Amino acid sequence: MQNQDWQKTKEIFHQTLDLPKNERQNFLANQEDFVRSEVSRLIESHEKLDDFIAEHLAIEIGLDVNSYLGKTIGSYKIIEIIGTGGMGQVFLAEKEGLDKKFALKIIKRGMDTEAVLKRFVRERQILSRLTHPNIAALSDAGSTENDLPYFVMEYIEGEPITKFSDAHQLDINERLEIFQKVCNAVKYAHQNLIIHQDIKPSNILVTADGTPKLLDFGIAKLLDSDECENTATAMQARMLTPEYASPEQINGKNITTATDVYSLGVVLYELLSGVRPFKSDKKSYQEIANLVLTLEPVQPSAVSNFKFQIPDFTSRNETSQNADRRNTNDEQKINPQSAIRNLKSLRGDLDNIVLKALRKEPERRYQTVQEFSEDIRRYLNGLPVTATADSVFYRFSKFIRRNRIGTAVAVVILLLSGVSIWQGIAANRERAKAENRFEQVRKLANIVLFEYHDGIAKLPGATAMREKMVVDSLEFLDNLAAESVGNLDLQRDIVKAYRKVGDIQGEGNTGNIGKTYEALQSYQKAFAIQEKIAAADTSNIQDQKMLGDLHIDIGGQQQNIGELKNTESSFQKALNIYLNLQNQSPNDLKIRGAVAKSFWNIAQLKTTRNNFDEALEYYQKAVEIYQQLVNDDEPLRNGHLRNVALTNKYMGSIRQRRGEDEKALQYFQKSLEIDLKNAENNADDVSAQLDLSFTYGSVASALRGLKNFQGAFENYQKAIEIREKIFQADNKNVFAENALARGYQELGRTFLQQKNYARAEENITKAQLMFQKMADSDAENLARKISLADNSGILGYINGLNRNLDKMDEFFSKSLAIYAGLLKQEKLSILNQRRSVSTYIDYGEVLIKNKQTARALENLQKADELLANEEVRKDAGEELEKLNRLLNEAKNK
């Protein structure tokens, strides 16, 4: 055999081995005869590895798995092989000191060609960008002594989603709920500009507790890479599983997020019906591809007795194919273990949802996984879905295009025109009555969402009712928005309503239900409508202002999920709109307030990026406007006073970060004077009481910095008492929950500073439980992850001081893993990189105290590496001083 033939054979062998056994024959059927024959021989030999000759053959082609068993790669000991494929081998591994198993994937000897290496490294690059509870997480990466790349992932013990659902007899709703979690994982990948391209049940493992995990990003596409935009690579094409591949993948056309929507549609089809849309047994790759490209899938509810009937409006060529398939008696059968005995229950909405995801034209599918998942949510909640069956007109037009029968066009148009005229006459009879009822419903909805909601929003225990309002309102709004085209007054109402819903879901400075991503979606829905309203009349000041307000709303949520570039753009667009409006109407008090809010938001963003001088400038601009409005805008005087107090607190916080506790305390005391009066005058107002608690906390932190611990304890206790009372009355208020957790954390820090380790650990542990719960329930919220990382680091430090080394390592590892994951995704701001630095330094300090000098140096050097960044180093004098002292101490030991 020529060397080039051997190289090709070896590559095809590895790719074939990577496939499930029942898919190998289809894959090989498309290869040349000599390759198919040779690969079949190698596969047979590989499966008899105990044979002496086969062992040598395995070594020659890179399958010498025994050479790794029992050895250590990096810091991971290899236990056993758990998988082998065309590109790499996967081993079960363990790491010293951790009671946890890992999956270590290493490239095979003989497969380290340039193309394969590039794909392997790209998979590692992709995984490093993904941190999601439903995606198998990357833990580590490196190269062996022989320069073969590897990466380490969490080990998933689970079953493919279809097998798990059947084995546990899950009903329709349970299958849909677990499928929605998969959609969330794919949505998260898309948000990180990654298209999976190989979604299938074997790449979705479900653990014993019902948690699905998305695996294998080996042929995923990075949207921000230099990959060809119009075609898949040759390797990707060969690695496709045709039964789950979209038409555009098979045709080598442009890959978009709609590609993953299609594959998810196939998985859902199989999950609900027990079979795939197209039968694959005993068919070649090309035969399956032809089915995907030419035939329309039958409705999932009709597969029980389906024998590949001829679909409506097929061409002669398609009819012939179906006849051939029927003659093979090759019927699909329902999985006998499936809990869905009566597939007729899928009729209607579920049929339409699945078939919309499976439409051959990408533009006719759900455009995002979020839209797909949202329709499933609506089905589960008994709400109308957006998916509808293909119209007769559409199906007939496809038939016309295939057969070019001109006379049929005229017949169809005539028939449809007659139907439309008849329907129009019938509709006119009820129009006046319908319009009258519509206006009544619209008025009632506005009263409920605004007047009733605002009346209860500030009351303790109102969050559960506000959450129900969100669910009910979204159903109404989504339907209303679809019918509002051309009615500007109605569209303005809808915008305000979507904005109100977004506030309840996740507005950052008020009580909310902790749904960051959902809040962003509501604001974006409002913005899409408002943008058209503003464009229709550029002279309407209120319409233009609302557009600016929505930029602020969207920017706030983008900041919460770490999209700082988008945040800056949104805030700047808002400021530009407001300044332009102020030039037109310099005496408009609302516009002046909006300008102040823009300055305030930009100052927050500057603070996040460690630009403290610029942040103080913007805060000062904001507070000057708010102070003017206190006198000029009497009806809203209390609201402007609150903003003055809030801005003073943020300016004081910046002073405190610079070690200027005396100046910080002056700012905080100005806030305290305002907030005390407001809280006294509004005893039942949750927001006013929380404002006061935050100010008590700020005063306490400044007193702690001045070593006035008694004053710090007193103020922290006042803050915590207020927050505990509010949270106990309303445990769904995530804003109050986060405030209470921070109160426990700061009280714990104060005990720690006084070396009362028992009381410190008690309070920090309370905070840990709350931060963990909030991070789990709002995975998109960056601030939640940072809070958890910060608190975990404190617990690690306390356990290190108490010489509880296992817990010390556990909590420090948790903290640093969160920071590292966010840094790889470029979502860790300069300010939070400094928190990461502090965590490395604290870890190094307690390791020195526990006489683990080598490990201490490792962590201290990592802190030093991060501080090499000038922006991180800026204003980090305290950290630098401590780092240098500890480095000298460690080196001297």
Side-chain angles (χ1 to χ4, degrees), residues 11 15 27 86-87 111 113-120 122 218-219 232-240:
E11 183 178 348
Q15 292 171 13
F27 177 69
M87 185 172 65
M111 282 302 293
T113 63
E114 182 179 354
V116 175
L117 280 170
K118 182 177 180 182
R119 177 182 160 218
F120 192 91
R122 186 184 63 182
I219 64 170
T233 64
M235 179 172 290
Q236 287 170 336
R238 288 195 299 269
M239 296 299 291
L240 288 177

Side-chain angles (χ1 to χ4, degrees), residues 359-373:
R359 286 172 180 166
K360 301 196 184 301
E361 306 91 339
E363 66 275 9
R364 297 187 66 247
R365 294 175 209 147
Y366 293 102
Q367 289 306 289
T368 65
V369 177
Q370 176 61 29
E371 289 181 14
F372 189 5
S373 180

Side-chain angles (χ1 to χ4, degrees), residues 508-511 642 645-646 649-650 668 671-672 675 686-701 715-716 718-720 722-723 726 733-743 746:
N509 293 307
T510 59
R642 178 182 185 262
L646 192 59
K649 273 183 277 193
Y650 276 91
F668 297 150
S671 299
L672 185 59
D675 288 337
V686 171
S687 296
Q689 301 303 317
L690 281 174
D691 282 346
L692 178 59
S693 81
F694 293 136
T695 309
Y696 278 135
S698 296
V699 169
S701 65
N715 281 278
Y716 277 135
K718 289 177 182 178
I720 289 173
I722 294 172
R723 298 173 195 179
I726 292 170
N733 188 333
V734 179
F735 186 68
E737 182 177 20
N738 187 59
L740 180 57
R742 289 198 175 281
E746 291 304 318

Side-chain angles (χ1 to χ4, degrees), residues 228-399:
C228 175
E229 289 295 328
N230 296 317
T231 60
T233 64
M235 179 172 290
Q236 287 170 336
R238 288 195 299 269
M239 296 299 291
L240 288 177
T241 307
E243 297 93 322
Y244 299 93
S246 67
E248 61 268 25
Q249 283 178 290
I250 291 172
N251 275 334
K253 292 184 177 179
N254 190 35
I255 303 301
T256 67
T257 53
T259 300
D260 281 350
V261 169
Y262 182 94
S263 298
L264 283 168
V266 179
V267 172
L268 183 58
Y269 191 110
E270 186 174 357
L271 194 61
L272 295 177
S273 71
V275 296
R276 301 170 193 161
F278 304 108
K279 181 71 171 176
S280 59
D281 291 352
K282 301 178 184 179
K283 290 181 177 63
S284 69
Y285 176 98
Q286 193 56 53
E287 286 176 313
I288 299 169
N290 287 338
L291 297 178
V292 173
L293 293 173
T294 59
L295 292 184
E296 296 294 338
V298 70
Q299 293 174 336
S301 63
V303 300
S304 58
N305 297 312
F306 181 59
K307 300 182 180 180
F308 297 104
Q309 299 295 323
I310 302 172
D312 294 340
F313 308 117
T314 53
S315 67
R316 293 187 182 89
N317 184 43
E318 290 172 336
T319 304
S320 174
Q321 289 177 0
N322 282 325
D324 291 341
R325 294 172 67 192
R326 287 197 303 277
N327 290 336
T328 65
N329 294 317
D330 191 10
E331 299 177 18
Q332 298 197 57
K333 300 185 183 299
I334 301 300
N335 187 328
Q337 292 185 350
S338 174
I340 305 174
R341 301 296 183 185
N342 181 16
L343 291 184
K344 291 181 180 178
S345 60
L346 304 177
R347 284 181 180 172
D349 285 346
L350 284 179
D351 275 342
N352 293 337
I353 289 172
V354 174
L355 294 182
K356 180 173 180 177
L358 291 177
R359 286 172 180 166
K360 301 196 184 301
E361 306 91 339
E363 66 275 9
R364 297 187 66 247
R365 294 175 209 147
Y366 293 102
Q367 289 306 289
T368 65
V369 177
Q370 176 61 29
E371 289 181 14
F372 189 5
S373 180
E374 174 63 14
D375 246 6
I376 294 172
R377 184 195 70 79
R378 296 178 68 80
Y379 170 83
L380 288 171
N381 290 330
L383 305 176
V385 303
T386 64
T388 56
D390 273 341
S391 66
V392 173
F393 180 81
Y394 175 79
R395 292 163 65 200
F396 215 103
S397 66
K398 294 286 286 182
F399 169 71

